[in-house]
Amino acid sequence: MTRFTLFFIFFYFIFNIEGNAFNKLKGINEVDLLVEVYGDVKVCSIKKESIVTNVKYILQNSKIKIKKDDAYVPMLYVSVGLIRTGATCTGDLDIKVQVFPAKDPLGFSNGGYFVYYVNGFLTSGGTLSEFAKAVDGGIETMMKELVVKHHEDNQ
């Protein structure tokens, strides 16, 4: 029984460290920015330019810099999916910092995405102008959380 307990504790720490050691923002000082807004954009009065401005403004006041079109820099992916049902708009807001398969950050020749950070937010209801403010506010809040997490991981 003691061997089993030690075996379990050993593998718990190994897999726990393995799973959490690399999914931090440590050392990420540049990102490529991609913002996508899709769905009922015109009907829900959402402007992509407003979202891009919010993201860039918060990044300009942080240590994270935007670098364009570099396949070896992690991508900050901001997506806003919109659905209108009747008179109500609903938005799914997501922020990810990820690397595409062009470079495996762990060096194991793995394929797929490597995700450093994920955050999501849902908002719905209100008048269209209030909904647009809620979307902008949700993106702003998530970007601030990203900057705080980046600061914590790089201390």
Side-chain angles (χ1 to χ4, degrees), residues 25 117 119 140-150:
L25 298 169
Y117 180 85
N119 197 355
E140 185 177 328
T141 299
M142 288 192 301
M143 285 303 301
K144 288 178 181 176
E145 291 171 357
L146 170 66
V147 169
V148 168
K149 176 77 170 136
H150 178 265

Side-chain angles (χ1 to χ4, degrees), residues 13-69:
F13 283 114
I14 293 296
F15 287 115
N16 194 28
I17 291 170
E18 178 82 21
N20 295 322
F22 300 107
N23 64 351
K24 295 188 176 192
L25 298 169
K26 187 170 183 76
I28 296 176
N29 298 317
E30 296 177 327
V31 294
D32 190 6
L33 178 62
L34 174 61
V35 176
E36 290 185 333
V37 181
Y38 53 91
D40 297 325
V41 177
K42 289 184 180 181
V43 176
C44 294
S45 299
I46 301 300
K47 296 181 180 176
K48 180 179 177 179
E49 295 80 18
S50 176
I51 294 168
V52 171
T53 301
N54 275 334
V55 170
K56 286 184 175 182
Y57 179 76
I58 291 172
L59 288 180
Q60 285 176 352
N61 295 307
S62 75
K63 293 183 180 179
I64 304 171
K65 303 302 173 210
I66 298 173
K67 189 171 183 182
K68 293 187 177 228
D69 300 327

Side-chain angles (χ1 to χ4, degrees), residues 117-142:
Y117 180 85
V118 176
N119 197 355
F121 186 81
L122 288 173
T123 185
S124 68
T127 63
L128 293 181
S129 63
E130 289 173 357
F131 179 73
K133 288 179 187 176
V135 168
D136 286 340
I139 293 292
E140 185 177 328
T141 299
M142 288 192 301

